């Protein structure tokens, strides 16, 4: 509601027939402003014609079409989706297996329920809309297709906890068991890095993601498992520690030099 003081209200000045016709028929004000009185300017301001005059301003409200509204909504969704994509990465794990160290990434949209699993940068699972925000996702990792499961649990309110299981065990428990059943060595030959893994239960030898062909033989103080890496003669020697708790000791020899074990 607009209020005017009495002193602001003045009797309109004499207008020409052309000005009267312009006001009554709504023609553009710019063509007929001439010497309009403040009274005319206020009336024009009330009707929303032209620009602002004196203390009264005209406000023009344009109703958006359905197409304009749809376009606006699409822009909002696009901005929201971009923001969500930037903030949906909730967990990253590095999992050491015989064929290499694998990176597992998990995206969880807590508004849309979206779930995306990446293994070594490759998308393994994508679910865009999930009404249930908790649950689990199961997939395979590595050459041996080791079973992995990501558990999604609600902690409190809108907070969630993400845990990774490998072969049905928590990642921590799995790695503890793995340290007892495997030996790992990292070395550099001719400017190239190599990761050698021995699986004690099967005596399989892996190097940079590939299982090597090996030849085992018995020696006086134990056994030797022979193989080659880029024309370098290698073998893993297994001897008894003489202690029950320590069991068998495995040592990697490359070009007649012992390689220190790596603890992952």
């Amino acid at each position: 509601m607009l209020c005017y003081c009495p002193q602001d209200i003045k009797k309109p000045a004499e207008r020409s027939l052309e000005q009267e016709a312009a006001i009554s028929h709504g023609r553009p004000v710019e063509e007929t402003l001439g010497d309009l009185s403040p009274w005319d300017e206020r009336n024009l301001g009330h009707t929303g014609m032209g620009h602002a005059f004196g203390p009264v301003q005209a406000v023009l409200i344009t109703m958006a079409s359905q197409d304009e509204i749809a376009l606006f909504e699409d822009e909002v969704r696009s901005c929201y989706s971009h923001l969500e994509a930037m903030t949906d990465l909730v967990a990253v794990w590095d999992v050491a297996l015989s064929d290499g160290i694998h990176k597992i990434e998990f995206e969880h949209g807590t508004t849309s329920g979206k779930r995306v699993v990446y293994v070594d940068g490759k998308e393994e699972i994508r679910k865009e809309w999930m009404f249930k925000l908790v649950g689990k996702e199961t997939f395979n990792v590595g050459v041996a297709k080791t079973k992995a499961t990501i558990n999604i649990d609600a902690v409190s309110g809108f907070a969630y906890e993400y845990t990774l299981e490998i072969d049905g065990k928590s990642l921590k428990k799995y790695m503890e068991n793995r340290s007892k059943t495997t030996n790992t060595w990292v070395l550099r030959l001719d400017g190239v890095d190599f990761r050698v893994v021995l699986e004690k239960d099967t005596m399989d030898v892996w190097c940079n993601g590939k299982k090597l062909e090996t030849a085992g033989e018995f020696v006086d103080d134990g056994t030797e498992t022979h193989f080659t890496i880029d024309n370098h003669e290698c073998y893993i020697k297994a001897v008894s520690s003489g202690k029950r708790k320590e069991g068998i000791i495995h040592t990697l020899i490359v070009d007649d030099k012992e390689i220190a074990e790596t603890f992952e």
Side-chain angles (χ1 to χ4, degrees), residues 24 79 83-84 98 126 157 162 185 199 201-202 215 235 248 253:
S24 62
C79 293
L83 178 62
E84 188 179 40
S98 296
R126 174 175 287 273
Y162 309 92
W185 298 270
E199 296 181 349
D201 52 351
T202 61
Y235 67 91
I248 304 297
I253 308 296

Side-chain angles (χ1 to χ4, degrees), residues 117-251:
V117 177
Y118 298 94
V119 178
D120 298 328
K122 181 182 178 182
E123 185 178 295
E124 294 292 332
I125 295 175
R126 174 175 287 273
K127 297 178 180 178
E128 289 293 349
W129 293 97
M130 298 287 291
F131 291 104
K132 189 176 181 181
L133 296 180
V134 297
K136 61 178 61 179
E137 296 296 335
T138 300
F139 51 97
N140 296 322
V141 180
V143 176
K145 296 188 180 301
T146 303
K147 181 181 177 182
T149 301
I150 296 175
N151 296 302
I152 311 165
D153 298 298
V155 180
S156 61
F158 293 100
Y160 297 87
E161 182 180 63
Y162 309 92
T163 56
L164 177 65
E165 293 181 358
I166 304 294
D167 273 346
K169 304 179 182 67
S170 68
L171 180 60
K172 182 179 179 181
K173 187 68 176 177
Y174 176 82
M175 296 308 297
E176 288 176 353
N177 290 344
R178 181 175 172 77
S179 66
K180 300 175 183 177
T181 60
T182 63
N183 289 93
T184 303
W185 298 270
V186 176
L187 62 152
R188 190 175 183 84
L189 297 173
D190 303 327
V192 180
D193 292 326
F194 294 94
R195 177 178 178 267
V196 179
V197 177
L198 169 68
E199 296 181 349
K200 297 178 184 179
D201 52 351
T202 61
M203 292 303 293
D204 288 336
V205 178
W206 294 76
C207 181
N208 286 6
K210 297 181 179 180
K211 187 161 65 172
L212 303 180
E213 292 186 5
T214 61
E217 64 174 304
F218 290 97
V219 294
D220 292 339
D221 53 353
T223 63
E224 292 178 356
T225 302
H226 292 258
F227 53 94
T228 61
I229 300 177
D230 280 4
N231 298 320
H232 292 270
E233 294 296 328
C234 313
Y235 67 91
I236 296 174
K237 187 169 185 177
V239 298
S240 174
S241 65
K243 299 178 181 179
R244 186 174 180 179
K245 289 185 177 181
E246 293 185 15
I248 304 297
I249 297 177
H250 297 85
T251 305

